Amino acid sequence: MRRRLLSLLSLVSATIALMIAARAESFPSRTITLIVSFAPGGLTDVPARILAPKLQKLLGQSVVVENKAGASGVVGANYVVHAAPDGYTLLVSGISEVQNFYYIHVPYHVLTDFSPVAMIADGPPLVLIVNGKAPFKTVADLVAYAKANPQKTNVATTGPATSPAIALSQLNALAGTAMVAVPFKGSGPDATAVASGTVEAGFTFYPPVAGLVASGQVRVLAVASAHRMSSLPNVPTMDELGFRNFDHDAFVGLLAPRNTPQSAIAILNKAANESIHAPDYARRLEPFGMTVPPPPNTADDYRQFLKKQIAFQG
């Protein structure tokens, strides 16, 4: 009886293994959804929308971008954590998944609850912006105004624990100001608030600002990076202005739910790398201060990168 039971269990296990293998071989067979955890037009949204049609062409299935903004990126990330681990729902991840771990309580861990797929963009840094018609021509002008108007200078951010909020806290500490953080659901709404005059200034990633800068609606006072941006060669870094260690670069990658089959991860990684090394991909990222991550850009490369980011933030 025991032998029969063992034989039956072995047969069932073999059948399940074959079913999983067959399913993996047919991947993908339906629509893949890229979840962006911030509003349209932001740091993670821009490369996702450039990438999606390229993935669609390579994989032969529809690839759609869906924005699920809220709670500093937690809403979208938590949605992917609880999605089926089959490779059809991916998180377009960024620095928020690392920072949230340290600054606010989140119901997941970026390394244990996700399966890294690939990095899809490196950079850009944060920029400090003001309305194009504002009297502030330099960071010193903004700081002087903030000191003269304590608790009355509003600065747009993308919510608690995000890079813009952390940068504002750092600026307040270094400059001796008390500028007030006003949270929005992404870098797009953040930049729009500055352009409309709803707030005096904003820390935001460059992608949603590029068009507003070109039209004169927004002025960039400084770049929060160790180096100037090629697309903004005349804009100084915060470090150059005396605000030391003011380096807030970003990155964008793809994460799948934990336990997603490695066969699906491998297919997605290959397609992502082919897509980001297409001739026009880097060209379309460049105006936003973003670059293509170097090869080999494996799933494990992205995991190791995230580990280093967590260690750095800690």
Side-chain angles (χ1 to χ4, degrees):
M1 187 67 181
R2 185 180 178 185
R3 289 180 179 177
R4 287 183 179 180
L5 182 59
L6 289 173
S7 297
L8 181 59
L9 288 173
S10 297
L11 180 61
V12 170
S13 297
T15 302
I16 292 174
L18 287 172
M19 290 173 64
I20 292 174
R23 187 178 300 174
E25 287 175 2
S26 63
F27 178 85
S29 58
R30 53 187 172 84
T31 299
I32 293 172
T33 303
L34 305 182
I35 300 295
V36 174
S37 55
F38 291 94
L43 165 68
T44 50
D45 188 73
V46 169
R49 295 188 184 278
I50 298 174
L51 179 72
K54 295 183 178 299
L55 286 179
Q56 181 168 303
K57 184 176 180 180
L58 286 170
L59 296 173
Q61 296 293 336
S62 295
V63 178
V64 298
V65 177
E66 184 176 343
N67 297 85
K68 288 186 176 294
S72 300
V74 175
V75 171
N78 200 44
Y79 177 85
V80 176
V81 165
H82 292 93
D86 51 17
Y88 290 99
T89 304
L90 305 175
L91 176 67
V92 186
S93 62
I95 190 67
S96 63
E97 276 67 55
V98 174
Q99 291 172 334
N100 285 346
F101 176 72
Y102 282 103
Y103 296 103
I104 60 176
H105 174 73
V106 292
Y108 52 78
H109 189 289
V110 68
L111 291 177
T112 58
D113 291 308
F114 292 100
S115 296
V117 176
M119 189 184 292
I120 62 171
D122 196 4
L126 282 177
V127 290
L128 176 57
I129 60 173
V130 295
N131 186 280
K133 297 180 180 178
F136 318 120
K137 305 299 182 183
T138 66
V139 175
D141 291 341
L142 178 63
V143 167
Y145 178 85
K147 286 183 175 180
N149 298 273
Q151 299 290 340
K152 294 181 180 179
T153 305
N154 296 318
V155 179
T157 72
T158 49
T162 61
S163 289
I166 295 168
L168 176 57
S169 295
Q170 186 179 3
L171 178 57
N172 276 333
L174 293 173
T177 51
M179 290 181 272
V180 180
V182 180
F184 291 86
K185 289 188 175 182
S187 295
D190 177 333
T192 301
V194 177
S196 66
T198 304
V199 294
E200 282 77 16
F203 271 111
T204 184
F205 288 106
Y206 189 64
V209 179
L212 296 173
V213 173
S215 65
Q217 296 179 72
V218 160
R219 181 186 305 120
V220 181
L221 298 184
V223 176
S225 176
H227 306 285
R228 293 194 181 196
M229 292 176 57
S230 59
S231 51
L232 297 171
N234 297 319
V235 177
T237 67
M238 292 293 286
D239 190 78
E240 288 177 79
L241 298 175
F243 300 96
R244 304 304 180 196
N245 301 313
F246 213 105
D247 192 357
H248 294 271
D249 283 312
F251 61 89
V252 184
L254 299 177
L255 296 175
R258 179 181 59 185
N259 296 327
T260 297
Q262 286 303 306
S263 54
I265 296 291
I267 291 171
L268 291 167
N269 177 272
K270 184 175 185 295
N273 275 300
E274 287 188 27
S275 296
I276 68 176
H277 288 105
D280 66 322
Y281 186 84
R283 187 179 71 249
R284 294 179 66 185
L285 287 183
E286 187 176 1
F288 302 108
M290 308 173 88
T291 59
V292 175
N297 193 30
T298 65
D300 189 59
D301 286 339
Y302 191 32
R303 177 180 293 280
Q304 297 307 317
F305 175 84
L306 290 171
K307 282 184 178 180
K308 291 179 181 177
Q309 287 293 313
I310 289 174
F312 174 75
Q313 293 293 328

